[in-house]
Each structure stands twice: as C-alpha cells, then as structure tokens.
Amino acid sequence: MELTPLDYKIRDIFPNESVFKEPKKSKLFSTLNIPSYMRDWIVKKFAKNEMEEIDLESVKEFIKEKIPRKKDLEYIKEKLINRQEKVEILAKIIVYYDISTGEALFELPELGLPEKKYQAKIENYLIEKYKNELLSPEGTWGIITLYWRIEYIPHKKKHEGRIICTNFKPFKPYKVNLQYFKDARKQFSLDEWIDVMLRSMDYNPAAFYQIERSKIWMISRLLPFVEKRVNLIELAPKGTGKTYVYSQLSKYGWLVSGGSISRAKLFYDLHRKKPGLVSGYDFVALDEVDTISFPDKEEIQGALKGYLEYGEYRIGHDRGIGEAGIILLGNIPYEKQDENQFFLDTLPEVFKISALIDRFHGFIKGWEIPRMKEGMKAYGYGLNVEYFSEILHELRDEVHYRKIIDQVFKISKNADTRDIEAIKRISTGLLKLLFPHITSIEELSIEVFQKYCLKPAMEMREVIRRQLHLMDKEYSFELPDIQVKYK
C-alpha cells in the first residue's frame, strides 16, 4: 500500500511525533499485553524504513528485557541475586507507606513483585523528587532501576534480602510543546485534522459509514481527555471500541470493568487515609456499568451528587477535590437505540435517580459509531499515542478556550444553569480537540463553530434532558435557546 498525501503531510509536519500504524503491529503488541501508548513508542524506536517496519524478534527481546511480565520474574531474580547485577526495566510502580515501620514500599503489579510484603523498598529521595508521579493512588509507569541487597527489616527485627528501587524516571518520552502542536494544526484543513485525530486514536477514517457525523461521535469520546470534570454516559452496541478508547489511549485514565466499586475506592478511604480514583486520574470510566455493584448505594449516591456538581467530596471529616470526569459505559439492545424512548433503565439502581442523571453533561450515541472490524484499524501515519495523550492532558489546563465560549454565547436569564454549564463544557472540549490553534473567536467562522462545537454539544445534552423528562415529568424535555454572538 502506497502512502497517501495525508500520510506524507502528517510525517512531514510531525516528523518525531508521528508513527506508521498497521493492524499487524497492533495485533502483536496486543498479544504481548502492551498498551497502545507504549506500543507506538517502541515501534518508533525500532523502525527500519519509511513504512516503519520492525524486526519482531528484536522487539520481543527488548520487551522481555525491558518490559518483563510475571513469566519473566525468575529471570529477573536470577540477575539480581545470583549475578548481583542491577536491573533497569520499564514498568508500572505502585508506592505506599507502611505505617508500622514508616518505610516506603513498592509493588510492580505487572511483574508480580514482591511476592511478600517488605521484600521491595524504594529510596525516600526518589519520592521527594517524583512525589506527584510516585504517590498516585493507582501507580505510574516509569524506568525503574532495581538492586538486591541484605538489609535489616525493622518489622521482623532481622536481616533479610530484599529488592531496592534506587532510581526512577517517569515514562514521558516526549517533551510536549503545546505551541508547536497548535501551529502544526494550522497546516491541516478541518477534514484532514479530523482524520488525523482518528488515526491517532488507532482508527481508519475511511471506514466510518456516516462519514462526518460518526467521526465526530467517535472523537467526542476524547472530551474527558481534554476538559476537566466532563461527565458522560455512552450506551452502545457491543464491539464499538468504547473500552479500547478509555483503557488503551492514555495512562491518565482509569477503567473499572465490572465487579464491585465502593465509595472508598472511588473517592476516599477513611481507614487508609488514602484518596480514591477521582483524585488521581483525568477520568474514571465505569465499563459494563450494568455489571458493576455498589455495596454502599446511599453513601455513593451522596458522594456522587456533590462530586458530579462541584468536583468535591466529603467523607466523614475529610474533604477532597478531584478533576476526573465520570463516564458510564454500557451496552444497549437494538430495540432501545432511540433517544425518544427511555433507555436509562439499563443503568444500575444507583444511577436511576434524576438528580444524578441531571449532573451528567452529555450522552454519546454509541449506536452511531460503527462496530469495530478489521477495516477500521488504522493503516498509515498518525500521531504517536503517547505523544497524543500527553497533548490532550496538557490541554486540560488551557483556560482561554472557555473564555472564548463564555464570550460568544448569548444566553437567556431563564435558562437552566446545569444545561448551560453542560453545553459550555462540551463545546469547550470540542474546541480544544478540533481547533486547538484558536486564540479568539475572530479566528473561527461562527458557522463552523456552531456546526462542530455548539450543535454536537446541544445534541449530547438534549439526550440527557429528554431522558430526564421520561424519568421525571418535573423536567422539561426542551433545552434553552442559545444564541451565538456574531462579530
């Protein structure tokens, strides 16, 4: 397959940040359990030519040596103990303090290390240097240096061998320059840029049957990546890729798939004095939400009401804040794929109250996103997922986009506050995703803004509003009339 003009354009404008994607490579890394944001970095590292072909055996050897898994644990231990060699690996590390000894201990969950408590300790100076990364509730990826040595174990009052983490470097292979990214966006047409976004998400733009509309629905899944505390619901047929987007494209998100989740896990653990998921991530997605159980229904409902509205939670005498959006993901049968009928009865009982549904900003019509097939997998140049996710993460702190939205909207004084905030928040996110180079509304056609930012935001909120009306007649099904000021 020959390169297209868009391939050359992406490669020329983003020479260091782009990577050639193809299904064969993706399948290899999927079988090796390597997330997409790490896959593209490895491909770039081993690329041999323009099409970025790689020597699969070299890649496998690199992964075994530098990104080992549980099956490689004995090999690692042999190097550390018998050969007395240091081991440097790329791994996910979770750090925690032991209250009884005051020591900082760590776990490498992907490697299954340590096998017993107190067998793995991290040096305190590393925590001082990388506090934000290492004390993240669910861990962080980084380059970790390990040694084995005999040490006195205070808890056991005797000397034993244990593994020490003596060096750590966060896994951030790209130095993000937002201005460079914004300037690069100016060199693409809007249609080209939409396709760049989809390729960067590992999708083939040509496979979208409803063309522009279904493409925008797919891109809207990235809203929690770029905008703080965007709360979304998506119900979709099976196999439309929603799990992939929220689990593989960013290390700043967390996917809960089935099982049970408590208020302590989500917000704050009173016993361990430890913040929950919403304080450590950009978004928390509850996948297959109909299969998730909530052991403390009333407690979690109360915590959710405050958090979804204000981004804060109060547990006992503790108050905390978070910037993570909450996303509910679930499947929907064919006969219910109509926003004019009530379909939120598929959600767990916890969410079947209007006061909670009203606090979700928008609904993604997952049935308008095509089912994942082989032809939908990206083939061609796109942005490296690790670079792409870092850019989206950095855009969360860019506040001038919201100022543009506030300036351009003309709103009736009788408009519902939650509706307005939801539409503004979604519009802001779409502005960041599609027009990151815009610094003022004068730079953007009002017609283009209405079509690609305001209209999708209104439609996403309208579904929530209509479901609220079907759930509780106290809620009107009509959205406020929002006018756009013309310059």
Side-chain angles (χ1 to χ4, degrees), residues 242-243 255-258 285-292 327 329-330:
K242 53 187 182 296
T243 301
L255 184 86
V256 178
S257 187
L286 305 182
D287 194 21
E288 306 287 352
V289 68
D290 56 308
T291 68
I292 296 177
I327 302 101
L329 303 173

Side-chain angles (χ1 to χ4, degrees), residues 152-164:
Y152 180 74
I153 314 295
H155 183 73
K156 296 184 178 182
K157 297 182 179 180
K158 64 178 181 178
H159 287 80
E160 285 186 359
R162 62 174 168 178
I163 294 171
I164 312 298

Side-chain angles (χ1 to χ4, degrees), residues 347-438:
L347 295 178
E349 287 296 323
V350 164
F351 297 102
K352 289 181 182 178
I353 56 173
S354 55
L356 274 184
I357 296 301
D358 196 16
R359 287 164 164 82
F360 282 90
H361 300 116
F363 183 91
I364 296 176
K365 298 178 188 177
W367 55 83
E368 294 195 17
I369 295 174
R371 183 176 171 83
M372 190 67 187
K373 297 178 181 178
E374 286 300 304
M376 283 193 68
K377 297 177 181 178
Y379 187 95
Y381 274 91
L383 295 181
N384 183 310
V385 170
E386 170 65 18
Y387 171 76
F388 185 53
S389 67
E390 286 289 342
I391 286 289
L392 300 183
H393 178 70
E394 290 292 321
L395 282 169
R396 290 168 66 87
D397 289 324
E398 295 285 289
V399 298
H400 76 271
Y401 300 98
R402 176 58 184 257
K403 290 181 180 178
I404 293 174
I405 298 296
D406 288 337
Q407 291 169 358
V408 78
F409 279 7
K410 185 178 180 181
I411 300 164
S412 166
K413 292 181 179 179
N414 295 323
D416 184 274
T417 299
R418 284 187 184 146
D419 287 338
I420 296 303
E421 179 59 28
I423 293 166
K424 281 188 173 184
R425 204 167 288 202
I426 295 172
S427 296
T428 303
L430 290 170
L431 190 64
K432 290 178 178 181
L433 290 167
L434 299 175
F435 310 100
H437 56 298
I438 295 299

Side-chain angles (χ1 to χ4, degrees), residues 29 42 208 236 270 275 365 386 455:
F29 286 95
I42 296 173
F208 284 74
L270 277 171
K365 298 178 188 177
E386 170 65 18
K455 185 178 177 182

